[in-house]
Amino acid sequence: MLVSARSFDEYRAMFALSDDDLGQRVLDCPGGAASFVAEAGARGVDAVGVDPLYGPERDVLGALALREIEHKHAYVADNAEGFVWDWFGTPERYTRLRAESARAFTADIAARPDRYVAGALPHLPFPDRSFDLVLSSHLLFSYGAQLSEDFHLSALIELVRVARREVRLFPVVLHTSDHRYPALDQLRAALDALGVPSRLDRVDYAFQLGGDEVLVLDAAARGPLPATRPGADARDPVRWRHLGAAAGGVGGAASGTGAAPVPGA
Ligand SMILES: C[S@@+](CC[C@H](N)C(=O)[O-])C[C@H]1O[C@@H](n2cnc3c(N)ncnc32)[C@H](O)[C@@H]1O
């Protein structure tokens, strides 16, 4: 897995964000090195990011993201037919926009550190219903080959717990295969049983082939969530190759999953 840096405009398209949505308190989980919180804040939006890497590693995160962007440029350019180019146009523009996002993130996390909270699913450090809208991109479903179904359910329940209105997740395809996360229907059924209906909407954004659907969870009318969530003790088994490359392999992640590019991440 790697850290990525999507922009506010990408978020707006991926999550079909309206002006009304952006008038609310928004959580970005995981924020990574995305510039959503930075750019949203500059527009007066009350947005907060949470990510396990917003702890001691926060100062090197932007640089790690830039390294990943550089690394991925060659892959994307060599495999351009494996991506959808309606949004970025060319690999060069893709790389330039992602690098701009990483730089905006780096400046904002230094200028407004309180907007970036260290935390990891499935246990977020926020009280129930802290945010109107919770956005989650390129972790759940994307890494469905590495993260268990139990982890997914626990994480989804946790995202619902901290949401007052909605949780939106993008995309619903695996990052390597462009296939939908196989247990998506089962997870939706489990959430429905907890009083959390959901729907899949098509959006005007895709970079991965087939990656143009957002899952919207309606958290507004939910009942009490289970006190002991199934799989709540699930560990995130992913090892972070960029952390393995950082000084000494922060967080014990030095083992890495190998240096193969991660197409959809
Ligand atoms: C591919 S990035 C996506 C970042 C951002 N949403 C974007 O689209 O640019 C995946 C992020 O998930 C974070 N992550 C990994 N395990 C996590 C967990 N258990 N809970 C929350 N975030 C996690 C990583 O630190 C990384 O920043």
Side-chain angles (χ1 to χ4, degrees):
M1 200 183 287
L2 49 82
V3 66
S4 52
R6 290 178 177 80
S7 67
F8 178 87
D9 284 342
E10 281 187 270
Y11 268 59
R12 193 155 53 182
M14 292 187 304
F15 295 113
L17 295 174
S18 67
D19 289 347
D20 278 355
D21 292 331
L22 293 169
Q24 305 182 348
R25 185 163 163 75
V26 185
L27 178 68
D28 180 15
C29 174
S35 60
F36 172 75
V37 169
E39 294 185 74
R43 289 166 164 83
V45 179
D46 184 4
V48 169
V50 62
D51 197 289
L53 301 181
Y54 294 163
E57 304 89 21
R58 58 167 51 207
D59 292 341
V60 295
L61 196 48
L64 290 169
L66 283 170
R67 193 191 300 172
E68 285 291 346
I69 290 162
E70 206 177 299
H71 174 78
K72 195 173 168 194
H73 177 76
Y75 180 87
V76 165
D78 289 347
N79 298 276
E81 71 290 346
F83 297 92
V84 179
W85 289 104
D86 297 348
W87 180 265
F88 289 107
T90 62
E92 289 67 34
R93 187 163 176 273
Y94 158 84
T95 299
R96 180 169 59 75
L97 293 179
R98 286 285 167 89
E100 283 174 13
S101 295
R103 288 192 196 97
F105 162 82
T106 303
D108 197 51
I109 198 170
R112 303 189 309 147
D114 52 315
R115 289 276 154 182
Y116 298 86
V117 178
L121 291 167
H123 301 290
L124 296 179
F126 306 112
D128 292 3
R129 297 186 168 89
S130 295
F131 301 90
D132 298 297
L133 181 59
V134 175
L135 307 177
S136 186
S137 105
H138 297 87
L139 176 65
L140 300 177
F141 314 134
S142 290
Y143 288 91
Q146 291 96 339
L147 301 168
S148 72
E149 193 178 327
D150 274 353
F151 179 87
H152 275 74
L153 183 56
S154 301
L156 289 167
I157 291 172
E158 183 68 351
L159 292 170
V160 167
R161 182 186 70 75
V162 301
R164 226 184 329 260
R165 189 168 72 88
E166 271 181 8
V167 179
R168 299 185 196 176
L169 299 113
F170 181 94
V172 295
V173 289
L174 298 171
H175 73 84
T176 43
S177 73
D178 303 333
H179 291 130
R180 246 192 209 173
Y181 176 67
L184 187 62
D185 289 345
Q186 290 92 303
L187 289 174
R188 290 181 67 189
L191 290 169
D192 204 53
L194 295 172
V196 183
S198 61
R199 65 174 197 275
L200 276 172
D201 287 346
R202 207 162 289 281
V203 294
D204 288 332
Y205 173 95
F207 186 50
Q208 261 186 281
L209 300 173
D212 63 350
E213 286 181 301
V214 64
L215 178 67
V216 180
L217 311 181
D218 181 355
R222 67 170 165 82
L225 297 170
T228 304
R229 298 187 290 282
D233 59 346
R235 293 270 183 276
D236 169 7
V238 177
R239 289 290 172 259
W240 300 87
R241 73 168 186 205
H242 53 279
L243 291 186
V250 181
S255 59
T257 47
V262 183

